[in-house]
């Protein structure tokens, strides 16, 4: 494999990768390029389909069956290639952590429901429910109180 980097302030930025077959490395490169080019989306995979998911249409990003999954406004589940902690670094500020394994789009949270055991669930506009940890809920409450 060859690698070449040309730094020219006058040239238009361009990234070209020539590969024999797509691999996990090419997907990582694609995600890296998209992340640092100011893109406002992530690539989601579902039933052989690949789709750009804009940050605004994502209800939440969570770990289901040990896979990072994005849930869109229609309730569809898309598998993501990135790790949750990597996504946390690139997502806009309106994505908040609601538990150890979930980042929520606070614009898409419909309401918070109290549970019988004293916990709290976040209910999203698509109908999906996810529990909110006590530590994260106190942080969310502080965030709303300062607005």
């Amino acid at each position: 494999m060859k690698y070449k980097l040309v730094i020219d302030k006058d040239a238009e930025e361009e990234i070209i990768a020539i590969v024999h077959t797509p691999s996990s490395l090419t997907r990582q490169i694609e995600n890296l390029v998209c992340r640092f080019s100011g893109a406002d989306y992530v690539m989601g995979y579902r039933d052989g389909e690949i789709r750009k998911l804009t940050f605004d249409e994502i209800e939440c990003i969570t770990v289901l069956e040990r896979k990072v999954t994005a849930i869109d406004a229609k309730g569809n589940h898309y598998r993501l290639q990135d790790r949750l902690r990597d996504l946390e670094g690139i997502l806009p500020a309106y994505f908040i952590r609601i538990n150890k394994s979930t980042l929520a789009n606070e614009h898409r949270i419909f309401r918070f429901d109290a549970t019988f055991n004293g916990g709290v669930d976040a209910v999203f506009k698509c109908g999906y429910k996810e529990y909110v940890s006590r530590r994260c809920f106190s942080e969310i409450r502080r965030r709303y109180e300062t607005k």
Side-chain angles (χ1 to χ4, degrees):
M1 179 185 298
K2 295 180 185 178
Y3 173 77
K4 181 179 179 180
L5 175 66
V6 178
I7 300 175
D8 184 357
K9 293 180 181 181
D10 299 325
E12 182 180 350
E13 288 188 346
E14 176 181 32
I15 296 175
I16 299 172
I18 301 170
V19 297
H20 296 284
T21 59
S23 67
S24 63
L25 176 63
T26 59
R27 283 190 293 277
Q28 289 175 357
I29 291 170
E30 180 182 339
N31 288 334
L32 184 66
V33 170
C34 291
R35 191 176 316 145
F36 290 109
S37 66
D40 63 346
Y41 64 89
V42 291
M43 299 303 287
Y45 301 85
R46 183 181 134 206
D47 299 331
E49 161 190 17
I50 302 173
R51 183 164 168 250
K52 285 183 182 179
L53 298 169
T54 62
F55 295 151
D56 291 336
E57 72 179 304
I58 296 173
E59 302 265 314
C60 70
I61 298 173
T62 188
V63 177
L64 298 173
E65 299 174 9
R66 299 179 58 118
K67 304 279 185 196
V68 178
T69 304
I71 301 171
D72 72 359
K74 295 178 183 174
N76 298 319
H77 291 62
Y78 292 90
R79 194 173 48 79
L80 303 180
Q81 296 291 328
D82 299 306
R83 291 181 163 177
L84 200 62
R85 68 173 175 251
D86 297 336
L87 288 167
E88 191 171 23
I90 64 167
L91 290 169
Y94 55 84
F95 275 86
I96 56 176
R97 186 169 286 278
I98 61 172
N99 62 46
K100 188 173 106 177
S101 61
T102 304
L103 299 170
N105 180 343
E106 77 175 315
H107 299 148
R108 306 291 306 169
I109 295 174
F110 183 61
R111 68 177 184 269
F112 293 100
D113 284 346
T115 62
F116 292 114
N117 62 1
V120 175
D121 285 342
V123 180
F124 295 90
K125 292 181 180 178
C126 72
Y128 181 75
K129 280 186 176 183
E130 185 67 46
Y131 82 94
V132 181
S133 71
R134 292 172 195 238
R135 184 175 54 108
C136 291
F137 188 68
S138 64
E139 184 64 35
I140 293 168
R141 192 176 351 191
R142 272 186 251 131
R143 185 175 176 146
Y144 282 121
E145 288 172 354
T146 60
K147 284 187 179 182

